[in-house]
């Protein structure tokens, strides 16, 4: 698997916020979100091919039960199921952070699904050359439903930049089954503390109105937007 980085930190987002976890970041993504905070795993994928057994060995070097398979898009990696099965066999708790555009059957304790809204489309970046493909791929309802149905737990985590994003979220939610408002997390778009602080109050109000969860970005609050955190 092409590996951008592997590190030990605390989970910064979602239902397991604050839980010490090993992060395995696969390099490569089928989407090109304009605000992507890991361009070294999507727009400009970096890293080297590392065998699954070596990744597992590096994971086991840290004193954590929780492992986060992230990216990039880990679900497009050919060896992702083999890696998840190997880690699950060793008793690890597996979170998969995915945009929900590609399904692979494998053991998942928490599917952290982040469907991409139109605010992610790179309309102007690199002369818009990825915009059409991104828009065609970014939402896949059957894949999201499969992840919901086959994972032990799941969360639907939306990156919200403006109030009008709510209509797109609700358009998607009516097509999905077996979720409750407690599974829906709204996270402010932003990769610095000032932007997050500016967007947090109105987003928290939106969560209060809708019954969704407000999702902070703890790692940015604690460490700033740095690799390896
Ligand atoms: S899906 Fe995730 S990794 Fe891929 S471009 Fe979007 S934010 Fe970046």
């Amino acid at each position: 698997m092409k590996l951008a980085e592997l590190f030990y930190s605390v989970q910064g987002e979602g239902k397991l916020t604050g839980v010490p976890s090993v992060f395995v970041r696969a390099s490569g993504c089928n989407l090109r979100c304009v605000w992507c905070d890991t361009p070294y795993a999507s727009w400009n994928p970096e890293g080297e091919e590392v065998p699954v057994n070596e990744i597992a060995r590096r994971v086991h070097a840290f004193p954590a039960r929780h492992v986060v398979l992230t990216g990039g898009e880990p679900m497009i990696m050919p060896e992702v199921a083999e890696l998840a099965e190997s880690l699950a066999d060793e008793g690890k708790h597996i979170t998969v952070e995915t945009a929900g555009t590609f399904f692979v059957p494998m053991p998942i304790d928490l599917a952290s699904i982040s469907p991409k809204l139109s605010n992610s489309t790179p309309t102007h970046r690199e002369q818009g050359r990825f915009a059409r493909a991104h828009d065609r791929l970014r939402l896949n309802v059957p894949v999201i439903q499969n992840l919901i149905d086959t994972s032990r737990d799941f969360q639907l985590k939306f990156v919200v930049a403006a109030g009008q994003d709510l209509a797109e979220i609700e358009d998607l939610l009516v097509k999905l089954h077996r979720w409750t408002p407690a599974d829906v997390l709204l996270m402010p778009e932003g990769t610095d503390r000032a932007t997050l602080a500016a967007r947090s109050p109105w987003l928290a109000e939106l969560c209060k109105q809708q019954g969704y969860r407000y999702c902070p970005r703890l790692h940015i609050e604690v460490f700033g937007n740095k690799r390896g955190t």
Side-chain angles (χ1 to χ4, degrees):
M1 178 185 291
K2 188 165 179 176
L3 191 64
E5 56 186 351
L6 188 153
F7 57 93
Y8 184 38
S9 187
V10 290
Q11 175 57 275
E13 301 170 357
K15 290 180 177 178
L16 293 176
T17 295
V19 175
S21 306
V22 180
F23 290 77
V24 178
R25 188 181 305 288
S27 190
C29 188
N30 55 340
L31 300 183
R32 291 291 184 278
C33 300
V34 67
W35 37 251
C36 180
D37 60 356
T38 54
Y40 51 92
S42 59
W43 286 85
N44 302 296
E46 299 173 7
E48 294 181 349
E49 287 291 330
V50 182
V52 164
N53 59 357
E54 172 59 16
I55 294 174
R57 190 193 66 74
R58 293 185 197 177
V59 168
H60 291 305
F62 295 104
R65 190 171 85 81
H66 287 77
V67 181
V68 182
L69 305 182
T70 187
E73 175 51 79
M75 294 299 248
I76 63 171
M77 302 297 153
E79 308 92 341
V80 69
E82 182 187 346
L83 177 60
E85 279 158 17
S86 154
L87 295 171
D89 285 348
E90 297 295 326
K92 298 296 187 187
H93 176 288
I94 312 286
T95 295
V96 176
E97 294 184 335
T98 175
T101 61
F102 208 84
F103 180 76
V104 179
M106 58 189 224
I108 301 177
D109 294 293
L110 176 63
S112 181
I113 310 161
S114 183
K116 298 301 183 267
L117 307 178
S118 62
N119 66 30
S120 67
T121 302
T123 307
H124 302 297
R125 188 166 168 176
E126 298 196 9
Q127 292 77 48
R129 67 192 179 106
F130 290 108
R132 188 179 295 181
H134 179 92
D135 263 341
R136 181 167 44 81
L137 294 173
R138 67 182 168 79
L139 287 179
N140 189 321
V141 172
V143 167
I144 296 171
Q145 191 63 55
N146 243 335
L147 286 161
I148 290 172
D149 291 341
T150 61
S151 303
R152 202 177 293 261
D153 194 10
F154 71 92
Q155 59 196 17
L156 291 160
K157 190 176 66 177
F158 293 95
V159 176
V160 180
Q164 60 260 34
D165 294 342
L166 184 63
E168 285 183 47
I169 293 169
E170 301 206 317
D171 273 357
L172 175 62
L173 289 174
V174 295
K175 297 174 187 149
L176 296 170
H177 311 285
R178 231 177 56 76
W179 59 272
T180 70
D183 300 312
V184 178
L185 286 70
L186 304 189
M187 187 170 76
E189 193 273 308
T191 53
D192 61 80
R193 294 182 184 106
T195 305
L196 295 177
R199 289 184 168 155
S200 296
W202 68 259
L203 191 55
E205 282 303 319
L206 197 61
C207 289
K208 283 163 63 183
Q209 289 163 20
Q210 304 296 327
Y212 301 147
R213 287 192 192 192
Y214 174 80
C215 179
R217 307 197 75 195
L218 181 70
H219 53 303
I220 291 179
E221 288 166 28
V222 174
F223 304 111
N225 187 26
K226 289 194 198 127
R227 285 183 71 159
T229 59

